[in-house]
């Protein structure tokens, strides 16, 4: 509809506003987030909203004008487009000009974890009462996967050396404190 026509007829590039027009420029940016989306709108709006939240966090306790100025500075540095009219070529070009790097594959950040399957509780209770733990074959015949005897990270340890401990997972990051977003008012 209208958003596609706007994308073809108008430039999406943002230019630094005059300080006196900073509030109006941020209103225009926010308005572009809520227009009927085109293929690139979601990317631009997501990163601009993220940058606005970053500005709020960086300038905690500062006046609204300072937060708005920092948000505009971040947007102009990292995503200087209007969300309602940026075509794919403009988006890629703007991102490359701002220092974004194109990757063909997302790097693997986390190592796989090996989990051991435990015997059913009834088998453990039976073993505690003097019975034997069922074999892996009898467990697998009941639909429970067989238990691994040794995880892959410890399989290479020699009998004379101490076993290798798996890495301890890091706790998840703490959530950001609630603060009003500069870009949602």
């Amino acid at each position: 509809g209208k958003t596609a026509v706007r994308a073809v007829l108008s430039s999406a590039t943002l230019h630094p506003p005059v300080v006196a027009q900073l509030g109006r420029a941020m209103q225009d940016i926010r308005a572009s987030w809520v227009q009927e989306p085109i293929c690139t709108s979601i990317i631009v709006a997501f990163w601009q909203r993220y940058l606005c939240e970053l500005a709020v966090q960086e300038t905690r306790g500062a006046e609204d004008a300072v937060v708005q100025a920092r948000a505009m500075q971040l947007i102009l540095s990292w995503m200087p487009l209007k969300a309602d009219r940026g075509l794919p070529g403009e988006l890629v070009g703007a991102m490359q000009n701002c220092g974004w790097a194109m990757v063909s594959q997302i790097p693997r950040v986390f190592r796989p974890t090996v989990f051991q399957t435990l015997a059913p509780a009834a088998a453990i209770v039976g073993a505690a009462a003097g019975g034997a733990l069922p074999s892996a074959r009898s467990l697998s015949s009941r639909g429970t996967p067989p238990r691994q005897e040794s995880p892959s990270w410890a399989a290479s340890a020699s009998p004379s050396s101490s076993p290798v401990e798996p890495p301890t997972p890091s706790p998840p990051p703490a959530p950001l404190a609630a603060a009003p977003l500069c870009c949602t008012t």
Side-chain angles (χ1 to χ4, degrees):
K2 289 192 272 185
T3 305
V5 171
R6 187 181 307 116
V8 171
L9 299 177
S10 309
S11 172
T13 305
L14 289 173
H15 301 287
V18 178
V19 174
Q21 297 174 346
L22 179 63
R24 176 69 185 145
M26 286 303 298
Q27 286 176 348
D28 290 344
I29 290 171
R30 287 190 301 273
S32 76
W33 298 344
V34 296
Q35 297 297 319
E36 182 183 344
I38 57 174
C39 57
T40 58
S41 299
I42 296 166
I43 297 164
V44 174
F46 170 84
W47 284 109
Q48 287 178 344
R49 288 176 185 203
Y50 176 85
L51 294 169
C52 286
E53 177 59 25
L54 183 60
V56 168
Q57 297 300 319
E58 285 182 356
T59 58
R60 189 176 303 278
E63 293 180 17
D64 189 49
V66 173
V67 177
Q68 297 281 338
R70 180 62 179 147
M72 180 60 77
Q73 180 185 26
L74 289 170
I75 288 170
L76 291 172
S77 296
W78 295 106
M79 191 56 64
L81 297 170
K82 291 183 182 172
D84 63 346
R85 62 191 78 181
L87 296 173
E90 285 180 290
L91 176 62
V92 170
M95 291 177 81
Q96 287 174 335
N97 289 339
C98 292
W100 290 82
M102 207 179 301
V103 293
S104 59
Q105 184 177 3
I106 297 174
R108 188 173 179 179
V109 178
F110 300 104
R111 295 186 341 184
T113 304
V114 177
F115 294 102
Q116 291 185 348
T117 305
L118 300 176
I124 295 172
V125 171
L133 280 173
S135 69
R137 174 164 287 172
S138 69
L139 286 177
S140 63
S141 67
R142 289 189 237 161
T144 306
R147 185 176 151 208
Q148 290 182 349
E149 292 306 317
S150 112
S152 62
W153 46 263
S156 63
S158 65
S160 62
S161 66
S162 62
V164 178
E165 291 296 321
T168 305
S170 304
L176 297 174
L181 293 176
C182 70
C183 300
T184 58
T185 54

